[in-house]
Amino acid sequence: MRQRIDALGIKGSVLVISKGKVLLDYASNNTTDTSYLINSVQKSMTAAMVMKLVQEGKLSLHERLARFYPAIPGAKKITIENLLAMTAGLQLKPGARLGRRHFVSDQDNLACDVKKTVFEPKMLGKWYYSSLNYVYLCGIMTQVTGQSYEQLFRATYVEPLQLKQTEFLWSKPGKIIASRLVPGMIYRGGRYDVVKHKKALQAAHDELGAGSVVMSNHDLAKVMNYILAGSLLSKKSRRELYRARPPAYYNGGFYNDASLGLKTANGAGEGYYTFMRSTKTAKTMIIIQANKTRKGEFVVLKDRIDKLIVELFAKKGSI
């Protein structure tokens, strides 16, 4: 198995859990407790936080976006469920980017995003991937609870699970160092250039709840287990959250393969890759993270890892 994973050519940290036991835990670059920016893999955690509020009766999947952001076009037609499944028909105006050029606050970023959001009625109910959906979910949670997204995240995951290598990218330098974060790198002109922290930090603020947290493989595995098989959500809540439709079978921050019982999450950006593959019970899991990336490489690696998972687990009956 290690040979097949190493053949992918990814330089980073690898964790393989099979039937609840650690099968492989090694690093081809960095160390096994190195942390990386997990980018869009964070969406699965944000979705579970939203579902917890639904479970507690503080929010409804059928709640309309207009209750929280009435100025967003189409808000009266869009539900929380649409946002989770990315079927809200929302996107940014052509050429627009999330957030403000110079970060002020989460609420300021959200106010800026509202002004740049457009609604495509024909896309309501149809899948269209955009972090904008999850940024708004963060704002909704803040309105419901009176707490910031970071406060909610720490109370939901960091504190109860005692995560040691998990931090927000904007945390104080001492905390970032303690998390053992390595800088993200992108291959350009025959060498790997370090992504400037200021640039990565801006993206982290803009992608609130969708790409602002750094984690080690072991911390990420703890959170995945907590979400998929732990006490965070009931079985009923998980069924509702991960009910997905074609073509993408996306909901709750995961691509959900019902035929194999697999949950898939990927993250890429600012010189980092994160690939997470898990069975629906989190008994079998592969996490691969790296901080050396190349343009055009992500999609190729993602497809190769998907094929590898089917070969390594499905054919052997490990799922």
Side-chain angles (χ1 to χ4, degrees):
M1 186 184 298
R2 176 165 180 167
Q3 290 177 338
R4 298 299 303 276
I5 294 173
D6 287 346
L8 296 170
I10 300 174
K11 298 300 183 182
S13 307
V14 177
L15 176 65
V16 179
I17 297 170
S18 180
K19 298 180 180 178
K21 297 181 179 180
V22 174
L23 189 63
L24 290 173
D25 183 16
Y26 70 98
S28 55
N29 200 58
N30 307 316
T31 62
T32 57
D33 59 358
T34 293
S35 69
Y36 306 80
L37 182 66
I38 65 171
N39 288 292
S40 289
V41 175
Q42 187 182 344
K43 290 184 175 77
S44 62
M45 303 169 196
T46 298
M49 291 161 64
V50 171
M51 199 65 205
K52 187 172 186 292
L53 292 178
V54 173
Q55 186 173 280
E56 293 170 349
K58 298 176 182 177
L59 192 61
S60 167
L61 290 177
H62 306 296
E63 199 91 57
R64 301 289 170 170
L65 179 58
R67 173 188 164 189
F68 307 98
Y69 294 102
I72 294 176
K76 291 182 179 179
K77 299 179 180 180
I78 298 166
T79 65
I80 302 300
E81 191 171 24
N82 288 137
L83 295 172
L84 287 166
M86 296 206 182
T87 59
L90 296 178
Q91 56 185 292
L92 293 173
K93 294 177 181 178
R97 296 181 58 184
L98 286 167
R100 186 191 288 274
R101 185 174 181 180
H102 299 291
F103 177 76
V104 176
S105 67
D106 292 342
Q107 297 311 310
D108 179 70
N109 262 9
L110 282 158
C112 290
D113 291 338
V114 169
K115 295 177 182 178
K116 295 182 284 187
T117 298
V118 295
F119 173 60
E120 296 291 342
K122 293 181 179 179
M123 291 302 294
L124 182 62
K126 296 180 181 179
W127 188 73
Y128 176 78
Y129 191 92
S130 172
S131 292
L132 185 62
N133 296 275
Y134 276 67
V135 171
Y136 283 140
L137 286 170
C138 292
I140 289 168
M141 284 193 286
T142 293
Q143 289 190 43
V144 170
T145 65
Q147 295 180 283
S148 70
Y149 175 82
E150 180 176 349
Q151 289 173 326
L152 289 169
F153 186 93
R154 290 186 182 280
T156 304
Y157 301 115
V158 178
E159 294 165 9
L161 299 179
Q162 298 182 344
L163 304 180
K164 302 299 183 184
Q165 274 81 51
T166 297
E167 272 301 335
F168 281 80
L169 194 61
W170 54 71
S171 296
K172 292 181 180 180
K175 290 186 175 181
I176 290 294
I177 292 171
S179 75
R180 303 191 181 181
L181 175 69
V182 286
M185 301 181 187
I186 301 176
Y187 191 80
R188 302 187 185 100
R191 68 177 188 181
Y192 283 101
D193 291 332
V194 174
V195 176
K196 293 182 179 179
H197 183 71
K198 184 177 180 180
K199 178 181 180 296
L201 190 60
Q202 179 68 46
H205 280 302
D206 294 346
E207 299 269 347
L208 181 67
S212 49
V213 166
V214 307
M215 302 184 83
S216 66
N217 283 356
H218 282 277
D219 277 8
L220 182 51
K222 281 184 181 180
V223 172
M224 290 296 106
N225 185 280
Y226 189 43
I227 290 172
L228 296 173
S231 59
L232 180 66
L233 298 175
S234 67
K235 290 182 179 179
K236 179 183 177 183
S237 292
R238 285 194 287 265
R239 281 197 304 270
E240 292 179 350
L241 182 58
Y242 305 129
R243 187 182 296 119
R245 299 176 181 176
Y249 292 95
Y250 183 95
N251 205 355
F254 291 118
Y255 294 92
N256 300 274
D257 188 331
S259 63
L260 294 175
L262 281 174
K263 304 289 184 189
T264 298
N266 307 293
E270 311 311 317
Y272 298 95
Y273 291 148
T274 300
F275 301 100
M276 196 292 303
R277 305 291 182 272
S278 176
T279 54
K280 62 183 180 181
T281 59
K283 290 290 186 181
T284 297
M285 191 184 306
I286 287 185
I287 297 174
I288 302 173
Q289 298 203 81
N291 69 314
K292 290 186 176 181
T293 66
R294 293 172 180 252
K295 185 178 180 180
E297 181 182 48
F298 175 72
V299 174
V300 175
L301 288 173
K302 178 173 68 69
D303 292 343
R304 288 180 66 189
I305 291 172
D306 284 339
K307 292 177 181 177
L308 180 63
I309 294 303
V310 172
E311 183 176 337
L312 291 179
F313 294 121
K315 290 185 178 180
K316 293 182 179 182
S318 296
I319 297 176

